[in-house]
Structures are given as C-alpha cells and as structure tokens.
Amino acid sequence: MLDIKNLHVKLEEEDKQILKGVNLSVESGKVHAIMGPNGSGKSTLSYVLSGRDGYEVTEGEAHLNDTDLLDSEPEERAAAGLFLAFQYPVEIPGVGNMTFLRTALNAQRKARGEEEISAGDFLKLVRGKAKSLKIDADMLKRPVNVGFSGGEKKRNEILQMAILEPKMCILDETDSGLDVDAMRLVAEGVNALRDEGRSFLVITHYQRLLDHIKPDVVHIMADGRIIETGGPELALEVEKNGYADLLAKHGISEVMA
Amino acid sequence: MSAVEKMTPAETRLARVSLPDGFGPQRRAALERLNAMGLPGRRDEYWRWTNPTDFIAPDPVPAAPFSDDEPEIFGEIDRLKIVFRDGVFDAEASDELAMSGVEILRLADAPDVNWASSLYGTLEANGQDPVKRPFAALNTASATDGVLIRVTGAAEKPVSLIYTHESETSDPILHHLVKLEEGAEITVLENGPAGARFNKLMEVDVAKGAKFHHIRVQGRDHERRAVTSIFTRVAEEGLFKSFTLTSNGVLTRNECVIDIVGDDANAHVAGAALGDGKTGKFHHDDTVFITHGAERGESRQVFKKVLKNGAEGIFQGKILVKPGAQKTDGYQISQSLLLDENSQFLAKPELEIYADDVQCSHGSTTGAIDETALFYLRSRGVPEEEATALLVLSFVADAIEEIEEERFRDAILTRLEGWLARHRG
Ligand SMILES: Nc1ncnc2c1ncn2[C@@H]1O[C@H](COP(=O)(O)OP(=O)(O)OP(=O)(O)O)[C@@H](O)[C@H]1O
Ligand SMILES: [Mg+2]
C-alpha cells in the first residue's frame, strides 16, 4: 500500500534536515503505529506525504500503490486514497462543515470519474456517520472547526475520514486532547473502517490509543529516521521505559531526538 | 480663443448643468451648493485615493455594454420590477407601479406632492456637512429620472430597480426617494450597470420603528463607471440595512451617509467587492459616514474586497458619536483579500467620539489566501482553484451575512460563484 524509501527532507526556507532517510512499508489491511520523541519528524513525514508546501525532498521516494506521491498535487494524493487526520485541524471561517464535506467528497469522486453524490444521499451518509461519532447537527452546520473544542476537532477529522473512505489513513496524534469517552468513539470509528483494502499509520505518544486500535506493527522514530520496528510489545516497552535506552542504542543524544 | 475653450473640464461640467422640471427650489438650492463647493480634486481629503476625473469630465468615457447569458440576479424573486434603460424609465419592461402599502411615483413626472417635496434633496443637503459630496449635489440638481417611493405599511413584495445599459455613451443621473412611515417595511433591490457613467442617489427616510432593507448588485460591465450615494436618516427604533455586491467595473465610488437621529436605532451597511484587473482596470471605493446623534444606537460597517491582477480597493469609513449619544455601539471592519502582489487596498477608518459611555471598534486587515486552509482543503481532495474559490467565499461571508433574507443571500452567492468561475487562475 504505502512504500517510503530512504526519504530525506529538509525545510525549504532554511538549511535544516528533518527527515534523514525514512524507510517504511505499510501493507494493505494493516495498522502501523509510529511513536517517537517530540520533534523527531513524525508530523513532517505526514505533511510531506500529503503534499504540504515548505519542505524539500532531497532524496528518496514515496508511493501509494501506483501513485508517485512526491510527484502529485495534494488533491491528487487525496483522490488516490491518502488521508491525513491533522495533529492541528484547521479552522475555516465562513465555510460550513457540510459544504466542506460535500465539496471534498464530490471532488474526489470527480477525480476518480465517478458521479457526484445526490444531496439526499449525502445527507443520509453524513447523518449516519456523525451519529456514531456523537457529532451533533449543530457541529455540522457550523463553519469548519470554528469554535470546536480540541476533542470536537479531532472527531471531525475522523468524520471526514469516514465519509471520504480513503485507502491509506494517517492519524497524527488524533488521541491528544480527547477525553476517555471521545477516545473510545474515535477508536471505534477507526476500527469500523478497518478493512482488507485499507491501511492505517497511527502517530501517537501513548499506549492508551493502541489499546483500542491494535497495531500490527510499531515503529519508533527518532532524529528523522525509523530506528526500531517491532510488534505491539514495542509500544508497551516505550510506555514503561521511555526512549532513553532506544536512543542510546542508536547513538542518538536526547537533545537531537 | 473663445472663453469656452479655456474652461477646465470641471467648469464645463458645471456650466452644462441644467435643471429638469419639478422640485425647482430644491434643485436650485442644490446647484447653489454645488457651485459653492465645486467639483472635487485630488487634494480633497476624501478623494486622495480615488481619481474623480472621469466623474467630472463633461462627457463620459464610452463603455461597451457587457453581455453574457448569466440570468438576471433577482429573476427568480417575486417582486415589483421597475426598469430604467440607460437611465430612462421603461414602462413596457416594468410592472405597474402599484402595490399595497406602497405609493410609487416617477421623478420625471415632476409630481407635486408634499412628502416628496419636503424630502427631495433634504437628506443630501444635511449630509454635506462636515464632508462635501459634490456629485450628490450635482445629482439633486440635475437628476432626470428616478422613483419616489412612500411606504405606509409592510410592502407586499420587494421593489426591484433594474438598470440596463445599451448605449455606449449613456450618462444617466437617477435620484430615488424612499420614505418609510412609522412601522413600515420594504426591501429595495437594485441591479444592472445603468450606463457608461452612472450617478445615482437614494434618500431614505426611516421613521420610527420602520425597516428598510437594501440589496444592490452593481453591474458587471467591465468598462462602466459609477458614483453613487445613499443618504439616510433613521428615527427611533428604526432599521436601515444595506448590502452591495460589486463585481468588475472600471471605477466605482459608493458613498453612504447615515444619520441616526432617534434612540435605539440600527444601521448596517455592508459590501463585497470583487475585482480582477485582467478584464480591465478595477477601482472600487466605499466611503461611509455614520453619525450617531441619539442614544443606544447600533451601527455596523462590514466591507470585504477581493482583489487580483492589479485591482484597487479603497475604504473610508467614519463613525461620529455626538455628545449625548450614550450607549452607542459602533462597529466597523474593512478587509481585503489580495490574490496577488499587484493588487492594492487602502483603508482609512475613523472614529470621532464626543460621548463617554460608548462602545466603538474598528479594524482593517489586508491579507493573502490562508495557505494552511488551502492545504487543508486540498488534502481533502479539493483542487486548488476550487479551494481558492471556497476560501474567497468564506472571506466575504461576514458581509453576506448582513443580508437578512436567505433568498437574497442565495442569489448573491450564485452571482459570486459565477464570478469566481469566470475569474479563475
Ligand atoms: N516549518 C518549520 N519551520 C521550522 N522548523 C520546523 C518546521 N517544520 C518542522 N520543523 C522542525 O522539525 C522537527 C520535526 O518536527 P515535527 O513536527 O515533524 O515533529 P513531531 O515528531 O511531529 O513532534 P511532536 O511529537 O511534538 O508532534 C522539529 O524540530 C520542528 O521544530
Ligand atoms: Mg507532530
């Protein structure tokens, strides 16, 4: 599904290398988790994969199935099935959540040569998905993320994911800011989407989320690289001991991480 | 050389002013005002950013009517239609000037009715102090047509003024009166380019508890020029609400002079302007003056401009709170969205307050498309141009929100979307 090879990324504006050779493969139907110290490059990886400006790829490649991600516009990546649930969802005053969702869904359908969804079907679709995420009608009517609480924003990301039905879902700290109940709702939302043909890359700092969304593979990222890959037990080990030993093992000082 | 040849354009223009029939004393007084103040120059404080030359010139710069097959904006609205073709009332194209709760007369018929005689030119004259508005005085003196509307109850449906433009050299001057009696309510719609050069003035007298709604769409003719003025007086518990959408046009100056004279009155004036220098020069100027002369008045000014390819936007807005106008709530915001680096927005927000218990705020911003929001939309699969269009709509949303009725908001949105579709990239 997702293949990242030797990805090197620096900031466009300054001479700062952030990703220093990321290698990562996520197979179809699998859930991979990425953990790692603050500033290790997790969000950067997710932004670069989804095509945000401001980064320069100096080496390496990234494919989503047959799509060369690094050679595509953000909207093309989305149409190819990539989805990023943002660590910090963006507020768009003046654009209603429903308009936003319908515009996005129809744009993706159009890009794939499918017909636009009818207003009635769309309404039904959104209502159904919103209900299971406990997103009320009022939140759907309001401008995108404006005045939403931190947790509401995160749930809104998952709602978008549920409606757009992407193939490759990247969740960047979707658990941060969620209360216990919201976390369960979000995890249920994610689990409901788990499917043979869909993969997840879950970026998180806490085992808590992984209790609900059981990962197949766990990666540890530090200093712009994946330094360790293992099973779910790796997350438990980090939860218990922190990153110090792992970093030391790979010769990374904690300041750099 | 003869004396005529030595005259400046302004002198020629003034010399050519003729006073049509009707409202003789009011017209003569206006001409006197006009001659005393003269036509504006670039040194006048409120004309520094907008060049009045084309408004002053004895003859208009010819402007080809612009046509496309976009349906008329208010075509779907149940309304009373009043059509002016190049500034001349077109009875054939108009509905019968009759509706319950409303009296409608034609200025060109020079009707001799009391209410009109005492209103014609009165609000304009009051609005000449402290800032001179020569094109308004010119209008009062020489307007050839217009409608005189007196509303005694709740108007059955909106009055829709439609200004069509066929002649390349038309130079209409229209003057409308709207007098709302106590508790009356009406919506006035306006659309169309009207002529190569258009000078239009509307005096709106809002009596106690009356409500006036105004939604205007200024013609899309790329080459047209327009100088318009609204003068309103709002009495106790009265409501004045005006919204204008402007798309294209070489030169537009919209003045709005609001006088709040009764307690607990409300006045909102809003505008959205979209300019693309690619289809011709675009210069748009909103100049607003709101005077609070009574207690607990609320006023709002919400102006948004979207500019690209060298388009220019101007906002000059003032809130004056007179002594004793306690508990005034005045709000003003003017913002521009520059879609490239060649476009320009200038703003002059002013507050002058002589009462101590008031709440007034103003703000002005200039910015580009929010890159983060753009990326967010694109990451959801929305192509860049469509995402930009959505963000433009979101930018002007606050101004459109000022329109109370959804059917008019929808009509405006459709027109906006049409503009965005034609002006991509
Ligand atoms: N636009 C930018 N300008 C300057 N520095 C940046 C920029 N983007 C990323 N960085 C830097 O790159 C490094 C990686 O940041 P990134 O956000 O990817 O980390 P992260 O692993 O997601 O951290 P966290 O766990 O705190 O979310 C950090 O040192 C960050 O300051
Ligand atoms: Mg991060």
Side-chain angles (χ1 to χ4, degrees):
Chain A
M1 172 80 65
L2 179 66
D3 274 296
I4 305 169
K5 291 203 183 90
N6 194 30
L7 188 63
H8 286 71
V9 171
K10 69 180 270 296
L11 291 177
E12 217 165 52
E13 303 274 299
E14 36 181 307
D15 217 15
K16 184 173 173 185
Q17 197 73 32
I18 299 177
L19 300 184
K20 303 173 180 173
V22 175
N23 288 291
L24 181 67
S25 277
V26 182
E27 312 77 39
S28 192
K30 300 289 182 200
V31 175
H32 286 219
I34 299 188
M35 303 180 83
N38 292 130
S40 55
K42 304 180 297 297
S43 293
T44 303
L45 176 64
S46 69
Y47 286 144
V48 170
L49 292 177
S50 46
R52 188 173 194 153
D53 281 345
Y55 304 101
E56 189 186 325
V57 176
T58 51
E59 220 184 312
E61 47 190 278
H63 284 84
L64 176 61
N65 297 322
D66 295 335
T67 306
D68 180 349
L69 289 177
L70 304 180
D71 196 31
S72 315
E73 298 296 335
E75 54 268 32
E76 293 168 341
R77 304 178 197 206
L82 185 72
F83 181 91
L84 167 64
F86 282 52
Q87 181 172 2
Y88 304 107
V90 179
E91 299 187 0
I92 315 183
V95 177
N97 220 0
M98 288 295 257
T99 307
F100 170 68
L101 287 167
R102 203 181 51 233
T103 307
L105 181 59
N106 281 332
Q108 292 202 13
R109 287 188 165 217
K110 200 169 148 197
R112 290 193 291 256
E114 299 164 17
E115 260 190 55
E116 291 202 348
I117 189 168
S118 76
D121 287 349
F122 174 72
L123 211 62
K124 240 186 267 159
L125 174 71
V126 175
R127 285 208 183 122
K129 306 272 186 193
K131 198 171 164 208
S132 55
L133 286 163
K134 293 234 164 69
I135 290 177
D136 60 25
D138 180 56
M139 264 172 74
L140 290 173
K141 265 190 245 147
R142 270 152 54 187
V144 181
N145 293 326
V146 177
F148 287 27
S149 74
E152 287 171 343
K153 284 180 182 170
K154 296 300 178 78
R155 272 186 280 151
N156 200 27
E157 294 290 287
I158 301 304
L159 173 67
Q160 293 165 36
M161 188 170 87
I163 284 166
L164 297 173
E165 300 188 318
K167 294 199 188 83
M168 179 71 231
C169 311
I170 305 176
L171 276 58
D172 191 357
E173 292 194 31
T174 301
D175 52 337
S176 67
L178 291 181
D179 65 36
V180 183
D181 296 331
M183 166 107 71
R184 194 174 318 115
L185 282 176
V186 162
E188 278 165 12
V190 170
N191 288 331
L193 284 170
R194 284 183 79 157
D195 181 89
E196 285 296 295
R198 182 171 293 124
S199 311
F200 293 85
L201 189 58
V202 180
I203 299 171
T204 183
H205 287 295
Y206 305 106
Q207 172 60 34
R208 230 173 21 163
L209 181 69
L210 303 180
D211 288 339
H212 296 287
I213 307 172
K214 299 252 179 323
D216 299 296
V217 181
V218 175
H219 308 274
I220 307 299
M221 189 164 188
D223 192 25
R225 262 184 298 253
I226 305 286
I227 57 161
E228 196 84 31
T229 295
E233 72 286 350
L234 188 53
L236 292 166
E237 188 192 319
V238 166
E239 178 92 346
K240 216 165 102 199
N241 302 325
Y243 293 110
D245 291 352
L246 281 171
L247 295 179
K249 180 172 146 196
H250 291 272
I252 298 167
S253 73
E254 285 190 54
V255 186
M256 266 163 58
Chain B
M1 261 203 231
S2 75
V4 173
E5 279 168 306
K6 273 192 222 142
M7 283 162 77
T8 64
E11 285 162 352
T12 308
R13 185 76 192 278
L14 291 177
R16 277 204 209 165
V17 172
S18 66
L19 310 185
D21 287 344
F23 303 102
Q26 294 86 343
R27 289 183 189 273
R28 282 191 294 277
L31 183 56
E32 255 173 54
R33 283 197 289 283
L34 175 62
N35 283 324
M37 69 181 87
L39 288 165
R42 291 306 287 276
R43 256 168 282 143
D44 284 283
E45 191 185 348
Y46 291 93
W47 286 96
R48 225 176 281 150
W49 292 336
T50 294
N51 187 343
T53 304
D54 290 347
F55 295 138
I56 291 171
D59 298 299
V61 182
F66 169 74
S67 70
D68 66 8
D69 37 19
E70 202 171 31
E72 197 226 309
I73 180 159
F74 299 122
E76 300 289 308
I77 306 274
D78 181 25
R79 59 190 170 161
L80 187 131
K81 245 166 70 172
I82 303 179
V83 181
F84 293 88
R85 190 193 306 153
D86 289 306
V88 181
F89 175 68
D90 182 342
E92 199 114 302
S94 303
D95 293 328
E96 201 190 326
L97 302 187
M99 171 162 64
S100 81
V102 185
E103 175 187 347
I104 306 174
L105 305 165
R106 214 188 131 187
L107 177 68
D109 291 337
D112 187 12
V113 285
N114 266 336
W115 71 263
S117 302
S118 57
L119 182 56
Y120 190 88
T122 303
L123 303 185
E124 176 260 300
N126 289 345
Q128 295 289 353
D129 184 44
V131 180
K132 297 288 169 248
R133 306 177 192 281
F135 296 109
L138 173 72
N139 181 301
T140 299
S142 58
T144 48
D145 217 335
V147 282
L148 316 177
I149 302 173
R150 182 167 161 260
V151 194
T152 49
E156 195 183 314
K157 50 190 171 187
V159 166
S160 172
L161 306 173
I162 301 166
Y163 309 116
T164 59
H165 170 202
E166 288 174 15
S167 151
E168 286 203 10
T169 54
S170 55
D171 189 19
I173 302 184
L174 298 183
H175 192 121
H176 306 305
L177 300 183
V178 184
K179 183 172 173 62
L180 291 108
E181 302 291 359
E182 191 170 324
E185 180 164 9
I186 194 170
T187 297
V188 172
L189 309 172
E190 292 184 284
N191 68 286
R197 179 172 69 181
F198 188 29
N199 179 334
K200 195 212 61 194
L201 191 155
M202 180 151 42
E203 293 181 279
V204 184
D205 196 11
V206 182
K208 183 177 174 188
K211 295 188 173 117
F212 175 75
H213 306 272
H214 176 226
I215 296 119
R216 162 168 67 169
V217 179
Q218 285 178 313
R220 288 160 299 131
D221 286 30
H222 299 316
E223 299 173 42
R224 60 137 191 97
R225 288 161 173 79
V227 57
T228 78
S229 339
I230 296 172
F231 292 89
T232 187
R233 173 168 65 192
V234 190
E236 202 180 332
E237 289 168 10
L239 171 76
F240 170 90
K241 267 195 141 180
S242 172
F243 171 87
T244 301
L245 172 70
T246 310
S247 50
N248 298 349
V250 174
L251 176 62
T252 310
R253 161 88 159 207
N254 291 332
E255 296 198 13
C256 189
V257 182
I258 297 173
D259 207 2
I260 294 179
V261 297
D263 293 341
D264 302 295
N266 263 282
H268 294 205
V269 51
L274 307 164
D276 183 353
K278 208 162 161 186
T279 43
K281 192 177 151 53
F282 176 90
H283 181 98
H284 182 91
D285 174 333
D286 284 299
T287 295
V288 178
F289 198 114
I290 299 185
T291 304
H292 283 268
E295 291 190 14
R296 295 178 301 279
E298 187 219 32
S299 70
R300 277 175 76 82
Q301 303 171 50
V302 182
F303 287 90
K304 305 270 181 162
K305 292 180 172 57
V306 180
L307 307 168
K308 65 194 282 191
N309 293 315
E312 298 161 2
I314 307 296
F315 173 77
Q316 310 183 101
K318 177 155 182 170
I319 304 174
L320 169 67
V321 181
K322 287 194 178 169
Q326 301 297 8
K327 302 262 191 266
T328 285
D329 181 357
Y331 174 79
Q332 177 194 91
I333 182 89
S334 66
Q335 295 179 300
S336 73
L337 177 61
L338 305 182
L339 296 180
D340 55 53
E341 280 160 17
N342 302 321
S343 302
Q344 194 189 27
F345 175 64
L346 297 169
K348 180 182 163 96
E350 291 178 282
L351 291 179
E352 200 178 326
I353 300 175
Y354 297 103
D356 51 14
D357 185 15
V358 302
Q359 194 184 323
C360 282
S361 66
H362 65 80
S364 180
T365 64
T366 295
I369 283 278
D370 178 349
E371 289 297 329
T372 311
L374 187 66
F375 171 63
Y376 191 58
L377 283 162
R378 295 179 72 189
S379 80
R380 298 305 183 239
V382 184
E384 186 171 9
E385 287 190 346
E386 202 178 338
T388 304
L390 208 55
L391 292 174
V392 168
L393 289 176
S394 96
F395 170 76
V396 298
D398 291 345
I400 294 175
E401 274 304 304
E402 289 292 321
I403 303 172
E404 268 180 28
E405 277 191 65
E406 190 177 1
R407 56 183 175 152
F408 301 130
R409 281 202 300 271
D410 289 347
I412 295 288
L413 279 173
T414 305
R415 186 49 54 99
L416 269 167
E417 281 160 5
W419 187 90
L420 287 165
R422 284 194 304 278
H423 294 269
R424 289 200 163 173

